[in-house]
Amino acid sequence: MNAKMIPIKVLGAFAALIWILLPAAVSGQELTSEQIMNRVNKLVSPETVKARIRMVIVTSSGKRRTFLYDSFSKDRGEKNLIRYIEPSRVKGEAILMLNNAEDIWIYFPRTKRVRKLATHTKRQKWEGSDFSYEDMGTGETFLKDFNSKKLGSEKKEGYDCYKIELNRKRGSDVGYSRLILWVIKENFFPVVINYYDRNDPGTLEKVLVQSNIKEIDGIPTGMKMVMYNKQDNTETSMEILDVKYNVKLDDGLFTERGLRK
Amino acid sequence: MNNGKGPIWIWKLCLVLSLSIGKPVGSFAQKVDIYGYFESQFMPSVLKDEFYQLTTNKLRVDLESSPAGQVTFGANFDFISYFGRKEWNILDYLPGSVTKVIPQKQRRFFNLSYNDTIFLDNAYLKLSFRFVDLTLGKQQISLGTGYAWNPTDLFNFKDLLDPTYEQPGHNAIRVDIPIGNRWEVVTIYTPEGRWGNSGKLIHLKGGMEHLDWSVIGIEKEWTFTDYLTSTSLIQKRKLLGGAFSGELFGLGVWGEVAHNDMGKTNDFWESLIGLDYTIRSGTYLMGEYYRHSLGKTDYREYNLNDWMQLITGEKKAISRDQAYVLIRHQATDLINIGCSVMASINDGSVGVVPTLSYNLFENVDLFTYLNFNLGREGKSFGKSWGNGGMLRLRVYF
């Protein structure tokens, strides 16, 4: 053995020390907005998701409409399929969104008809709720469609949060001009998101609040989310009844054939 | 027209196939999902200063079962009862210049009666395998991308006043073969008495970027009736066409084109192009243009057969060029208001249909429209049709 060479054991111990100390060093540093949003994106766009969700719409007149649906997502949210279970009037209806909701198809079981929607419809209300098709089907939109800026730290919903502003990139046709996110420092979960008008960055359009955060399959998950529409004075809540991450989902599910099943 | 009496051998084949994949048909009863709706429709109309009304009550019961991942059984029964004026004569709606050639004693041949009915609308078995889906039995067949007209669809006939209403089932054997994620071949066979007069369809569907397209070939027995002589001309209709749906400059765009090779009458083309857009306020705008190459351009040439073939669905339009425009706006969270306008470009007549839909309760929808035919008598949307409306209350269960 060459005497000048560092023994393998010493090298290994040094590497282990770096491995242990590095996250602490990083967390001690101020993370940039890009680093934070990369962590957020990784969290909110797992490889695959399968969930059963109850959605409750509360109209401006206080009437409630409840929907139950199964949701399937693949390739970090790039492919999405939603299939209604309840109420009876929409039972069996299904929505397929591909390419981050650039392509949308709807299946109507009563007529056995599949209709392709143009992208202008992605900003329409989804089943009369305060979520748009775009809200439901865009995977990595935070990174692809927006530039990020860190506004500081703030306490929100009882959590220590990073406050991040996202401004729409030039050339993007995403339906919001600006977003403000409050990201929990501990786990990078976006607990509150403010959505601003497509054409007026000063007009607050909607606020999403996530609560009852549980760790499912190692991923922090807001078991309840409420979207408040500040313009229409309505709200829509979603409650996750069951969720599984990184399950095997066949590509065939995200096709017209899968839509009609 | 489909009379609902399918060949028994289809059901025998269903039984054999379902048994062959290891699940007895008898186990369906344990897992049948039952749902459907009840709807009551009130349809008033004013015709030649007389007020008429017809009310229908319809109960639709859907059954669905999936005893194994590969097997789905679906069926629905419709129970429909009619009240009010149940006897009509089609000639009352046609221009006097057309009906005057009908001798009085022949007028009864144009009577139309609405009788209470119960029928099996759909009943099918779907077997799904990795590389093929096989659907056997009475089933809906939906073709084309158009909203108001579908030139590539020889199986259904849409009502312009209510184009999205469900269509009846057809006895058929359907095979779907996916090729990759966005390509698919569909074949449909609709058995009649003999192979020669049975319907055959092949449909190749594909997608590229934001565009869906398809090529379709259909061979189907087709009947043109001469209502003056009460004779029918049965011939083989061969359709070759295509359809697409996509996007152009931010607008939704779709279209269909079909060449119809008729055995004994003149061949013709049908085509359709449609555009839609949602403006910032959420208001949805849609327009379609439909052309039938044998449609007439002068309304004074419309004859009894033209009108009757339009009414019975033997052809989709009476004039050559038609337009359909729809505007729809979400007035409140639960109320949609809209208006559709139907027009014959050749004779300049227009029909206007204001609509309102309201989700009254969780599973209760109200839908209503009025229809006004503003054209001169004798034109496509002329006054001879009268004015009317419809109020539908539907309860889902």
Side-chain angles (χ1 to χ4, degrees):
Chain A
M1 184 190 291
N2 190 329
K4 288 181 180 176
M5 285 180 72
I6 300 168
I8 294 291
K9 279 186 181 175
V10 174
L11 193 64
F14 183 67
L17 191 65
I18 287 178
W19 182 252
I20 292 163
L21 295 179
L22 189 63
V26 168
S27 65
Q29 286 174 359
E30 280 297 299
L31 293 176
T32 65
S33 62
E34 287 80 13
Q35 287 172 319
I36 295 167
M37 288 315 299
N38 273 320
R39 297 289 297 267
V40 171
N41 184 68
K42 199 174 173 189
L43 192 73
V44 299
S45 305
E47 188 56 40
T48 62
V49 188
K50 181 182 174 186
R52 175 159 290 188
I53 293 168
R54 180 187 293 128
M55 179 170 78
V56 180
I57 301 169
V58 181
T59 70
S60 52
S61 58
K63 290 181 178 165
R64 295 164 71 90
R65 296 289 181 268
T66 304
F67 297 82
L68 187 67
Y69 64 87
D70 283 333
S71 169
F72 306 88
S73 176
K74 191 172 183 180
D75 295 345
R76 299 196 170 279
E78 186 265 333
K79 298 172 179 167
N80 290 278
L81 179 78
I82 286 165
R83 184 169 284 128
Y84 289 98
I85 302 163
E86 291 176 3
S88 301
R89 72 185 168 89
V90 295
K91 180 184 167 69
E93 279 186 20
I95 304 164
L96 173 65
M97 290 174 272
L98 300 182
N99 306 317
N100 298 309
E102 288 295 312
D103 292 295
I104 306 171
W105 293 263
I106 298 191
Y107 172 63
F108 300 98
R110 295 205 181 278
T111 53
K112 297 278 186 284
R113 190 168 279 275
V114 174
R115 189 173 167 227
K116 188 173 193 306
L117 302 182
T119 52
H120 60 80
T121 56
K122 73 181 183 182
R123 290 186 282 277
Q124 287 182 355
K125 287 185 166 193
W126 175 56
E127 282 295 350
S129 75
D130 295 299
F131 291 87
S132 63
Y133 289 98
E134 188 177 44
D135 295 332
M136 302 301 297
T138 45
E140 300 190 311
T141 188
F142 291 153
L143 298 184
K144 287 197 318 188
D145 295 308
F146 294 95
N147 293 314
S148 61
K149 183 178 159 190
K150 196 167 157 189
L151 299 180
S153 297
E154 239 177 56
K155 199 108 172 164
K156 198 78 171 174
E157 300 291 315
Y159 297 99
D160 282 329
C161 295
Y162 296 111
K163 186 177 179 183
I164 307 289
E165 182 183 58
L166 301 183
N167 286 292
R168 186 173 53 206
K169 286 180 181 172
R170 194 181 293 273
S172 168
D173 72 339
V174 72
Y176 305 102
S177 59
R178 189 164 75 107
L179 306 179
I180 293 183
L181 291 86
W182 283 264
V183 178
I184 298 174
K185 288 184 177 177
E186 187 189 346
N187 56 15
F188 295 92
F189 186 80
V191 68
V192 176
I193 305 176
N194 285 3
Y195 296 83
Y196 289 83
D197 183 85
R198 177 179 172 76
N199 297 312
D200 178 8
T203 302
L204 178 62
E205 192 176 315
K206 297 190 279 196
V207 176
L208 179 72
V209 179
Q210 305 202 65
S211 59
N212 190 15
I213 299 162
K214 288 183 179 170
E215 196 152 302
I216 310 276
D217 300 335
I219 297 173
T221 305
M223 300 303 282
K224 185 169 183 186
M225 60 185 92
V226 183
M227 183 73 96
Y228 298 93
N229 189 319
K230 297 296 182 183
Q231 299 301 308
D232 297 344
N233 197 29
T234 54
E235 64 179 66
T236 300
S237 68
M238 286 191 188
E239 189 184 352
I240 298 175
L241 304 179
D242 185 36
V243 61
K244 288 186 176 67
Y245 293 108
N246 299 318
V247 290
K248 186 170 164 44
L249 295 176
D250 195 292
D251 274 339
L253 184 64
F254 303 94
T255 62
E256 189 179 321
R257 186 188 183 212
L259 188 65
R260 284 191 266 110
K261 287 254 185 214
Chain B
M1 289 286 266
N2 199 316
N3 60 11
K5 294 175 184 170
I8 289 170
W9 66 268
I10 289 184
W11 294 104
K12 287 183 177 171
L13 186 58
C14 290
L15 184 66
V16 168
L17 283 167
S18 66
L19 289 171
S20 72
I21 53 177
K23 284 284 174 181
V25 172
S27 67
F28 284 5
Q30 294 161 17
K31 301 173 184 173
V32 174
D33 192 9
I34 299 174
Y35 57 98
Y37 62 78
F38 168 77
E39 73 175 19
S40 191
Q41 291 189 152
F42 172 62
M43 291 171 283
S45 61
V46 177
L47 185 65
K48 292 168 185 155
D49 296 329
E50 290 287 332
F51 177 83
Y52 302 102
Q53 60 190 38
L54 174 67
T55 302
T56 66
N57 291 316
K58 175 179 172 183
L59 175 66
R60 177 182 161 117
V61 180
D62 287 275
L63 311 172
E64 198 173 278
S65 176
S66 188
Q70 295 167 291
V71 186
T72 308
F73 166 73
N76 74 278
F77 298 91
D78 286 3
F79 306 75
I80 308 174
S81 61
Y82 298 90
F83 302 91
R85 187 179 177 189
K86 298 196 283 186
E87 302 288 335
W88 299 78
N89 191 292
I90 295 170
L91 297 180
D92 292 339
Y93 289 94
L94 303 185
S97 57
V98 169
T99 58
K100 68 184 180 190
V101 299
I102 310 290
Q104 193 62 31
K105 63 180 180 184
Q106 282 188 24
R107 288 183 67 87
R108 63 188 173 88
F109 296 124
F110 296 87
N111 283 348
L112 181 66
S113 303
Y114 290 100
N115 298 312
D116 295 356
T117 178
I118 299 173
F119 61 98
L120 182 67
D121 189 17
N122 290 282
Y124 61 87
L125 189 64
K126 184 172 181 179
L127 310 174
S128 300
F129 302 97
R130 184 164 175 77
F131 299 111
V132 65
D133 289 338
L134 178 63
T135 312
L136 304 161
K138 208 170 175 206
Q139 56 193 287
Q140 286 173 317
I141 300 172
S142 296
L143 300 167
T145 53
Y147 180 83
W149 299 276
N150 294 111
T152 56
D153 187 355
L154 299 187
F155 295 91
N156 303 296
F157 179 59
K158 285 181 171 174
D159 177 1
L160 282 183
L161 298 175
D162 198 4
T164 58
Y165 199 83
E166 67 210 18
Q167 298 285 353
H170 303 269
N171 281 302
I173 300 170
R174 173 177 174 141
V175 180
D176 293 64
I177 304 166
I179 305 166
N181 286 341
R182 288 192 69 180
W183 289 61
E184 190 176 24
V185 176
V186 180
T187 62
I188 297 176
Y189 177 67
T190 54
E192 299 293 341
R194 291 175 287 111
W195 169 264
N197 65 351
S198 298
K200 296 126 198 155
L201 175 152
I202 184 160
H203 198 186
L204 172 66
K205 300 199 273 188
M208 278 185 301
E209 298 291 324
H210 300 309
L211 179 75
D212 283 2
W213 57 268
S214 67
V215 177
I216 188 166
I218 306 175
E219 182 182 281
K220 193 174 188 300
E221 198 168 78
W222 199 259
T223 303
F224 276 130
T225 308
D226 187 327
Y227 291 88
L228 282 168
T229 60
S230 299
T231 55
S232 294
L233 178 65
I234 300 170
Q235 57 189 322
K236 195 163 281 185
R237 180 172 178 177
K238 293 176 184 170
L239 179 150
L240 183 63
F244 71 93
S245 178
E247 192 165 338
L248 196 65
F249 306 122
L251 297 170
V253 55
W254 60 92
E256 293 181 50
V257 62
H259 178 261
N260 291 271
D261 181 349
M262 310 300 286
K264 296 171 184 169
T265 55
N266 291 332
D267 297 348
F268 60 92
W269 287 86
E270 286 177 280
S271 51
L272 174 133
I273 184 91
L275 295 169
D276 71 354
Y277 191 68
T278 306
I279 58 177
R280 194 166 168 250
S281 63
T283 302
Y284 175 75
L285 307 170
M286 190 267 278
E288 283 190 345
Y289 164 76
Y290 166 79
R291 184 184 176 100
H292 188 299
S293 67
L294 292 183
K296 292 178 177 171
T297 54
D298 185 345
Y299 76 95
R300 288 165 296 196
E301 293 177 8
Y302 300 163
N303 59 36
L304 179 71
N305 282 336
D306 292 328
W307 285 109
M308 289 304 298
Q309 287 168 4
L310 173 71
I311 291 167
T312 57
E314 290 177 13
K315 61 182 178 188
K316 293 183 172 77
I318 192 165
S319 69
R320 193 187 62 188
D321 306 286
Q322 324 272 324
Y324 185 96
V325 176
L326 173 68
I327 301 170
R328 193 165 51 216
H329 179 75
Q330 188 157 5
T332 73
D333 303 315
L334 303 171
I335 296 176
N336 272 290
I337 54 172
C339 186
S340 56
V341 177
M342 306 158 293
S344 164
I345 294 168
N346 306 111
D347 65 31
S349 63
V350 170
V352 179
V353 186
T355 62
L356 181 145
S357 61
Y358 179 26
N359 178 229
L360 273 171
F361 303 104
E362 186 75 85
N363 267 315
V364 182
D365 281 340
L366 181 145
F367 175 65
T368 184
Y369 67 72
L370 298 171
N371 71 296
F372 304 102
N373 293 291
L374 306 178
R376 281 174 51 187
E377 179 160 314
K379 294 188 173 184
S380 297
F381 302 99
K383 290 188 189 307
S384 59
W385 288 107
N387 299 314
M390 191 267 286
L391 177 73
R392 175 192 297 151
L393 195 63
R394 183 181 279 186
V395 181
Y396 297 90
F397 57 88

